[in-house]
Amino acid sequence: EIEQHAFLYCSELSSIIIRSNIVNLNYATIDSCYKLSLVIYLGNSASVYSRIINNCPNLNEVHVLPNYESDSFCYELTVKRCI
């Protein structure tokens, strides 16, 4: 589990990888990380997550594996399928 605001105001954070064994992320786990521009999610479904990424203006999409089950991440970010 990753707690709410675990990554809050991480001013130098530019990328993050969320491994597939992370099964519980809370609201606003990643919040106000203004340089964040790359998130890679290695799981196949994020349907249980709700707005884990908040106020990260440089992040427009989340990179996912080809078998990811949705066209969005956190109900608002588009996904880009990568190998």
Side-chain angles (χ1 to χ4, degrees):
E1 179 175 359
I2 301 178
E3 295 295 327
Q4 182 177 11
H5 296 132
F7 297 94
L8 177 62
Y9 295 114
C10 295
S11 60
E12 298 303 314
L13 183 67
S14 62
S15 64
I16 191 166
I17 298 173
I18 303 171
R19 299 183 324 212
S20 61
N21 66 335
I22 303 296
V23 295
N24 192 10
L25 293 144
N26 290 297
Y27 174 81
T29 295
I30 304 166
D31 195 350
S32 301
C33 299
Y34 301 114
K35 290 186 180 179
L36 183 66
S37 61
L38 176 62
V39 171
I40 300 171
Y41 178 66
L42 299 176
N44 64 2
S45 174
S47 60
V48 297
Y49 305 149
S50 177
R51 297 201 55 169
I52 67 161
I53 301 172
N54 229 7
N55 198 22
C56 298
N58 288 317
L59 183 65
N60 297 316
E61 62 188 12
V62 174
H63 292 222
V64 296
L65 298 174
N67 65 339
Y68 184 73
E69 297 175 353
S70 178
D71 290 329
S72 66
F73 187 83
C74 301
Y75 304 105
E76 59 187 47
L77 291 169
T78 59
V79 297
K80 180 177 182 180
R81 285 176 171 74
C82 301
I83 296 175

PDB file of all heavy atoms in Angstrom, residues 26-51:
ATOM      1  N   ASN A  26      -3.784   5.173  -2.481  1.00  0.00           N
ATOM      2  CA  ASN A  26      -4.830   6.031  -1.932  1.00  0.00           C
ATOM      3  C   ASN A  26      -5.004   7.303  -2.749  1.00  0.00           C
ATOM      4  O   ASN A  26      -4.170   7.643  -3.588  1.00  0.00           O
ATOM      5  CB  ASN A  26      -4.488   6.387  -0.487  1.00  0.00           C
ATOM      6  CG  ASN A  26      -4.619   5.189   0.417  1.00  0.00           C
ATOM      7  OD1 ASN A  26      -5.708   4.654   0.577  1.00  0.00           O
ATOM      8  ND2 ASN A  26      -3.526   4.738   0.997  1.00  0.00           N
ATOM      9  N   TYR A  27      -6.077   8.018  -2.477  1.00  0.00           N
ATOM     10  CA  TYR A  27      -6.357   9.289  -3.135  1.00  0.00           C
ATOM     11  C   TYR A  27      -5.149  10.212  -2.987  1.00  0.00           C
ATOM     12  O   TYR A  27      -4.572  10.335  -1.911  1.00  0.00           O
ATOM     13  CB  TYR A  27      -7.588   9.940  -2.506  1.00  0.00           C
ATOM     14  CG  TYR A  27      -7.874  11.323  -3.026  1.00  0.00           C
ATOM     15  CD1 TYR A  27      -8.543  11.495  -4.226  1.00  0.00           C
ATOM     16  CD2 TYR A  27      -7.461  12.436  -2.322  1.00  0.00           C
ATOM     17  CE1 TYR A  27      -8.811  12.762  -4.719  1.00  0.00           C
ATOM     18  CE2 TYR A  27      -7.717  13.710  -2.812  1.00  0.00           C
ATOM     19  CZ  TYR A  27      -8.382  13.860  -4.009  1.00  0.00           C
ATOM     20  OH  TYR A  27      -8.638  15.110  -4.500  1.00  0.00           O
ATOM     21  N   ALA A  28      -4.750  10.846  -4.080  1.00  0.00           N
ATOM     22  CA  ALA A  28      -3.664  11.830  -4.100  1.00  0.00           C
ATOM     23  C   ALA A  28      -2.346  11.262  -3.583  1.00  0.00           C
ATOM     24  O   ALA A  28      -1.597  11.930  -2.890  1.00  0.00           O
ATOM     25  CB  ALA A  28      -4.057  13.089  -3.345  1.00  0.00           C
ATOM     26  N   THR A  29      -2.056  10.014  -3.920  1.00  0.00           N
ATOM     27  CA  THR A  29      -0.761   9.435  -3.569  1.00  0.00           C
ATOM     28  C   THR A  29       0.366  10.274  -4.169  1.00  0.00           C
ATOM     29  O   THR A  29       1.377  10.526  -3.532  1.00  0.00           O
ATOM     30  CB  THR A  29      -0.665   7.986  -4.086  1.00  0.00           C
ATOM     31  OG1 THR A  29      -1.627   7.193  -3.399  1.00  0.00           O
ATOM     32  CG2 THR A  29       0.707   7.400  -3.853  1.00  0.00           C
ATOM     33  N   ILE A  30       0.162  10.704  -5.408  1.00  0.00           N
ATOM     34  CA  ILE A  30       1.131  11.561  -6.099  1.00  0.00           C
ATOM     35  C   ILE A  30       0.453  12.910  -6.270  1.00  0.00           C
ATOM     36  O   ILE A  30      -0.503  13.045  -7.023  1.00  0.00           O
ATOM     37  CB  ILE A  30       1.517  10.955  -7.466  1.00  0.00           C
ATOM     38  CG1 ILE A  30       2.054   9.544  -7.285  1.00  0.00           C
ATOM     39  CG2 ILE A  30       2.524  11.843  -8.175  1.00  0.00           C
ATOM     40  CD1 ILE A  30       2.153   8.754  -8.579  1.00  0.00           C
ATOM     41  N   ASP A  31       0.950  13.918  -5.556  1.00  0.00           N
ATOM     42  CA  ASP A  31       0.244  15.201  -5.519  1.00  0.00           C
ATOM     43  C   ASP A  31       1.220  16.369  -5.603  1.00  0.00           C
ATOM     44  O   ASP A  31       2.209  16.419  -4.880  1.00  0.00           O
ATOM     45  CB  ASP A  31      -0.561  15.296  -4.229  1.00  0.00           C
ATOM     46  CG  ASP A  31      -1.598  16.402  -4.241  1.00  0.00           C
ATOM     47  OD1 ASP A  31      -1.594  17.229  -5.169  1.00  0.00           O
ATOM     48  OD2 ASP A  31      -2.406  16.452  -3.306  1.00  0.00           O
ATOM     49  N   SER A  32       0.924  17.284  -6.514  1.00  0.00           N
ATOM     50  CA  SER A  32       1.688  18.535  -6.652  1.00  0.00           C
ATOM     51  C   SER A  32       3.166  18.292  -6.927  1.00  0.00           C
ATOM     52  O   SER A  32       4.033  18.931  -6.348  1.00  0.00           O
ATOM     53  CB  SER A  32       1.503  19.411  -5.408  1.00  0.00           C
ATOM     54  OG  SER A  32       0.132  19.719  -5.221  1.00  0.00           O
ATOM     55  N   CYS A  33       3.434  17.376  -7.835  1.00  0.00           N
ATOM     56  CA  CYS A  33       4.801  17.103  -8.296  1.00  0.00           C
ATOM     57  C   CYS A  33       4.915  17.764  -9.668  1.00  0.00           C
ATOM     58  O   CYS A  33       4.612  17.163 -10.699  1.00  0.00           O
ATOM     59  CB  CYS A  33       5.052  15.607  -8.375  1.00  0.00           C
ATOM     60  SG  CYS A  33       4.889  14.784  -6.777  1.00  0.00           S
ATOM     61  N   TYR A  34       5.329  18.998  -9.688  1.00  0.00           N
ATOM     62  CA  TYR A  34       5.217  19.846 -10.870  1.00  0.00           C
ATOM     63  C   TYR A  34       6.126  19.448 -12.026  1.00  0.00           C
ATOM     64  O   TYR A  34       5.846  19.774 -13.166  1.00  0.00           O
ATOM     65  CB  TYR A  34       5.418  21.308 -10.486  1.00  0.00           C
ATOM     66  CG  TYR A  34       4.397  21.758  -9.470  1.00  0.00           C
ATOM     67  CD1 TYR A  34       4.765  22.107  -8.183  1.00  0.00           C
ATOM     68  CD2 TYR A  34       3.046  21.792  -9.798  1.00  0.00           C
ATOM     69  CE1 TYR A  34       3.813  22.494  -7.250  1.00  0.00           C
ATOM     70  CE2 TYR A  34       2.094  22.182  -8.877  1.00  0.00           C
ATOM     71  CZ  TYR A  34       2.481  22.527  -7.601  1.00  0.00           C
ATOM     72  OH  TYR A  34       1.532  22.897  -6.672  1.00  0.00           O
ATOM     73  N   LYS A  35       7.217  18.732 -11.749  1.00  0.00           N
ATOM     74  CA  LYS A  35       8.110  18.287 -12.824  1.00  0.00           C
ATOM     75  C   LYS A  35       7.783  16.884 -13.322  1.00  0.00           C
ATOM     76  O   LYS A  35       8.387  16.408 -14.271  1.00  0.00           O
ATOM     77  CB  LYS A  35       9.568  18.331 -12.370  1.00  0.00           C
ATOM     78  CG  LYS A  35      10.109  19.731 -12.195  1.00  0.00           C
ATOM     79  CD  LYS A  35      11.586  19.705 -11.892  1.00  0.00           C
ATOM     80  CE  LYS A  35      12.131  21.100 -11.726  1.00  0.00           C
ATOM     81  NZ  LYS A  35      13.571  21.065 -11.416  1.00  0.00           N
ATOM     82  N   LEU A  36       6.834  16.224 -12.686  1.00  0.00           N
ATOM     83  CA  LEU A  36       6.484  14.861 -13.082  1.00  0.00           C
ATOM     84  C   LEU A  36       5.923  14.850 -14.498  1.00  0.00           C
ATOM     85  O   LEU A  36       4.917  15.502 -14.783  1.00  0.00           O
ATOM     86  CB  LEU A  36       5.462  14.268 -12.111  1.00  0.00           C
ATOM     87  CG  LEU A  36       5.064  12.819 -12.369  1.00  0.00           C
ATOM     88  CD1 LEU A  36       6.252  11.883 -12.141  1.00  0.00           C
ATOM     89  CD2 LEU A  36       3.908  12.414 -11.471  1.00  0.00           C
ATOM     90  N   SER A  37       6.588  14.111 -15.386  1.00  0.00           N
ATOM     91  CA  SER A  37       6.124  14.050 -16.777  1.00  0.00           C
ATOM     92  C   SER A  37       5.997  12.623 -17.289  1.00  0.00           C
ATOM     93  O   SER A  37       5.524  12.412 -18.398  1.00  0.00           O
ATOM     94  CB  SER A  37       7.065  14.841 -17.687  1.00  0.00           C
ATOM     95  OG  SER A  37       8.365  14.289 -17.634  1.00  0.00           O
ATOM     96  N   LEU A  38       6.421  11.651 -16.484  1.00  0.00           N
ATOM     97  CA  LEU A  38       6.344  10.258 -16.926  1.00  0.00           C
ATOM     98  C   LEU A  38       5.929   9.359 -15.770  1.00  0.00           C
ATOM     99  O   LEU A  38       6.594   9.318 -14.733  1.00  0.00           O
ATOM    100  CB  LEU A  38       7.693   9.785 -17.480  1.00  0.00           C
ATOM    101  CG  LEU A  38       7.784   8.315 -17.888  1.00  0.00           C
ATOM    102  CD1 LEU A  38       6.814   7.999 -19.025  1.00  0.00           C
ATOM    103  CD2 LEU A  38       9.201   7.961 -18.282  1.00  0.00           C
ATOM    104  N   VAL A  39       4.818   8.652 -15.966  1.00  0.00           N
ATOM    105  CA  VAL A  39       4.384   7.606 -15.034  1.00  0.00           C
ATOM    106  C   VAL A  39       4.230   6.341 -15.852  1.00  0.00           C
ATOM    107  O   VAL A  39       3.582   6.331 -16.900  1.00  0.00           O
ATOM    108  CB  VAL A  39       3.057   7.955 -14.337  1.00  0.00           C
ATOM    109  CG1 VAL A  39       2.526   6.762 -13.555  1.00  0.00           C
ATOM    110  CG2 VAL A  39       3.231   9.152 -13.419  1.00  0.00           C
ATOM    111  N   ILE A  40       4.858   5.277 -15.370  1.00  0.00           N
ATOM    112  CA  ILE A  40       4.750   3.960 -16.003  1.00  0.00           C
ATOM    113  C   ILE A  40       4.044   3.047 -15.018  1.00  0.00           C
ATOM    114  O   ILE A  40       4.476   2.904 -13.875  1.00  0.00           O
ATOM    115  CB  ILE A  40       6.133   3.391 -16.361  1.00  0.00           C
ATOM    116  CG1 ILE A  40       6.847   4.330 -17.341  1.00  0.00           C
ATOM    117  CG2 ILE A  40       6.003   1.988 -16.946  1.00  0.00           C
ATOM    118  CD1 ILE A  40       8.296   3.971 -17.593  1.00  0.00           C
ATOM    119  N   TYR A  41       2.944   2.445 -15.462  1.00  0.00           N
ATOM    120  CA  TYR A  41       2.190   1.520 -14.625  1.00  0.00           C
ATOM    121  C   TYR A  41       2.339   0.117 -15.198  1.00  0.00           C
ATOM    122  O   TYR A  41       2.012  -0.113 -16.365  1.00  0.00           O
ATOM    123  CB  TYR A  41       0.715   1.925 -14.563  1.00  0.00           C
ATOM    124  CG  TYR A  41      -0.114   0.978 -13.749  1.00  0.00           C
ATOM    125  CD1 TYR A  41       0.093   0.860 -12.383  1.00  0.00           C
ATOM    126  CD2 TYR A  41      -1.081   0.183 -14.341  1.00  0.00           C
ATOM    127  CE1 TYR A  41      -0.650  -0.020 -11.621  1.00  0.00           C
ATOM    128  CE2 TYR A  41      -1.841  -0.691 -13.588  1.00  0.00           C
ATOM    129  CZ  TYR A  41      -1.620  -0.797 -12.236  1.00  0.00           C
ATOM    130  OH  TYR A  41      -2.351  -1.675 -11.493  1.00  0.00           O
ATOM    131  N   LEU A  42       2.839  -0.813 -14.398  1.00  0.00           N
ATOM    132  CA  LEU A  42       3.136  -2.157 -14.878  1.00  0.00           C
ATOM    133  C   LEU A  42       2.034  -3.173 -14.618  1.00  0.00           C
ATOM    134  O   LEU A  42       2.192  -4.348 -14.950  1.00  0.00           O
ATOM    135  CB  LEU A  42       4.461  -2.647 -14.268  1.00  0.00           C
ATOM    136  CG  LEU A  42       5.677  -1.787 -14.622  1.00  0.00           C
ATOM    137  CD1 LEU A  42       6.914  -2.294 -13.896  1.00  0.00           C
ATOM    138  CD2 LEU A  42       5.899  -1.750 -16.122  1.00  0.00           C
ATOM    139  N   GLY A  43       0.932  -2.759 -14.051  1.00  0.00           N
ATOM    140  CA  GLY A  43      -0.193  -3.664 -13.837  1.00  0.00           C
ATOM    141  C   GLY A  43      -1.095  -3.717 -15.058  1.00  0.00           C
ATOM    142  O   GLY A  43      -0.868  -3.033 -16.053  1.00  0.00           O
ATOM    143  N   ASN A  44      -2.146  -4.529 -14.981  1.00  0.00           N
ATOM    144  CA  ASN A  44      -3.052  -4.623 -16.130  1.00  0.00           C
ATOM    145  C   ASN A  44      -4.396  -3.961 -15.888  1.00  0.00           C
ATOM    146  O   ASN A  44      -5.215  -3.883 -16.782  1.00  0.00           O
ATOM    147  CB  ASN A  44      -3.243  -6.075 -16.572  1.00  0.00           C
ATOM    148  CG  ASN A  44      -3.919  -6.921 -15.524  1.00  0.00           C
ATOM    149  OD1 ASN A  44      -4.285  -6.435 -14.469  1.00  0.00           O
ATOM    150  ND2 ASN A  44      -4.056  -8.195 -15.809  1.00  0.00           N
ATOM    151  N   SER A  45      -4.630  -3.476 -14.674  1.00  0.00           N
ATOM    152  CA  SER A  45      -5.896  -2.809 -14.389  1.00  0.00           C
ATOM    153  C   SER A  45      -5.706  -1.823 -13.245  1.00  0.00           C
ATOM    154  O   SER A  45      -5.078  -2.137 -12.235  1.00  0.00           O
ATOM    155  CB  SER A  45      -6.957  -3.823 -13.999  1.00  0.00           C
ATOM    156  OG  SER A  45      -8.132  -3.157 -13.593  1.00  0.00           O
ATOM    157  N   ALA A  46      -6.255  -0.655 -13.398  1.00  0.00           N
ATOM    158  CA  ALA A  46      -6.221   0.345 -12.329  1.00  0.00           C
ATOM    159  C   ALA A  46      -7.637   0.783 -11.988  1.00  0.00           C
ATOM    160  O   ALA A  46      -7.865   1.872 -11.525  1.00  0.00           O
ATOM    161  CB  ALA A  46      -5.375   1.538 -12.735  1.00  0.00           C
ATOM    162  N   SER A  47      -8.590  -0.090 -12.230  1.00  0.00           N
ATOM    163  CA  SER A  47      -9.989   0.289 -12.047  1.00  0.00           C
ATOM    164  C   SER A  47     -10.334   0.583 -10.595  1.00  0.00           C
ATOM    165  O   SER A  47     -11.319   1.258 -10.327  1.00  0.00           O
ATOM    166  CB  SER A  47     -10.899  -0.805 -12.590  1.00  0.00           C
ATOM    167  OG  SER A  47     -10.669  -2.009 -11.912  1.00  0.00           O
ATOM    168  N   VAL A  48      -9.554   0.105  -9.656  1.00  0.00           N
ATOM    169  CA  VAL A  48      -9.861   0.358  -8.249  1.00  0.00           C
ATOM    170  C   VAL A  48      -9.268   1.671  -7.764  1.00  0.00           C
ATOM    171  O   VAL A  48      -9.556   2.105  -6.667  1.00  0.00           O
ATOM    172  CB  VAL A  48      -9.350  -0.794  -7.353  1.00  0.00           C
ATOM    173  CG1 VAL A  48     -10.041  -2.084  -7.692  1.00  0.00           C
ATOM    174  CG2 VAL A  48      -7.850  -0.950  -7.462  1.00  0.00           C
ATOM    175  N   TYR A  49      -8.446   2.290  -8.576  1.00  0.00           N
ATOM    176  CA  TYR A  49      -7.782   3.520  -8.149  1.00  0.00           C
ATOM    177  C   TYR A  49      -8.630   4.717  -8.550  1.00  0.00           C
ATOM    178  O   TYR A  49      -9.170   4.770  -9.635  1.00  0.00           O
ATOM    179  CB  TYR A  49      -6.402   3.649  -8.775  1.00  0.00           C
ATOM    180  CG  TYR A  49      -5.493   2.464  -8.540  1.00  0.00           C
ATOM    181  CD1 TYR A  49      -4.544   2.118  -9.470  1.00  0.00           C
ATOM    182  CD2 TYR A  49      -5.603   1.693  -7.395  1.00  0.00           C
ATOM    183  CE1 TYR A  49      -3.702   1.048  -9.256  1.00  0.00           C
ATOM    184  CE2 TYR A  49      -4.774   0.617  -7.179  1.00  0.00           C
ATOM    185  CZ  TYR A  49      -3.822   0.295  -8.114  1.00  0.00           C
ATOM    186  OH  TYR A  49      -2.999  -0.768  -7.902  1.00  0.00           O
ATOM    187  N   SER A  50      -8.703   5.685  -7.699  1.00  0.00           N
ATOM    188  CA  SER A  50      -9.468   6.887  -7.999  1.00  0.00           C
ATOM    189  C   SER A  50      -8.625   8.114  -7.693  1.00  0.00           C
ATOM    190  O   SER A  50      -8.301   8.375  -6.539  1.00  0.00           O
ATOM    191  CB  SER A  50     -10.734   6.909  -7.151  1.00  0.00           C
ATOM    192  OG  SER A  50     -11.451   8.080  -7.379  1.00  0.00           O
ATOM    193  N   ARG A  51      -8.257   8.823  -8.741  1.00  0.00           N
ATOM    194  CA  ARG A  51      -7.509  10.073  -8.600  1.00  0.00           C
ATOM    195  C   ARG A  51      -6.283   9.949  -7.717  1.00  0.00           C
ATOM    196  O   ARG A  51      -6.089  10.738  -6.793  1.00  0.00           O
ATOM    197  CB  ARG A  51      -8.424  11.171  -8.120  1.00  0.00           C
ATOM    198  CG  ARG A  51      -9.519  11.443  -9.143  1.00  0.00           C
ATOM    199  CD  ARG A  51     -10.110  12.771  -8.998  1.00  0.00           C
ATOM    200  NE  ARG A  51      -9.037  13.753  -9.047  1.00  0.00           N
ATOM    201  CZ  ARG A  51      -9.223  15.042  -9.155  1.00  0.00           C
ATOM    202  NH1 ARG A  51     -10.430  15.505  -9.236  1.00  0.00           N
ATOM    203  NH2 ARG A  51      -8.233  15.881  -9.178  1.00  0.00           N
TER     204      ARG A  51
END
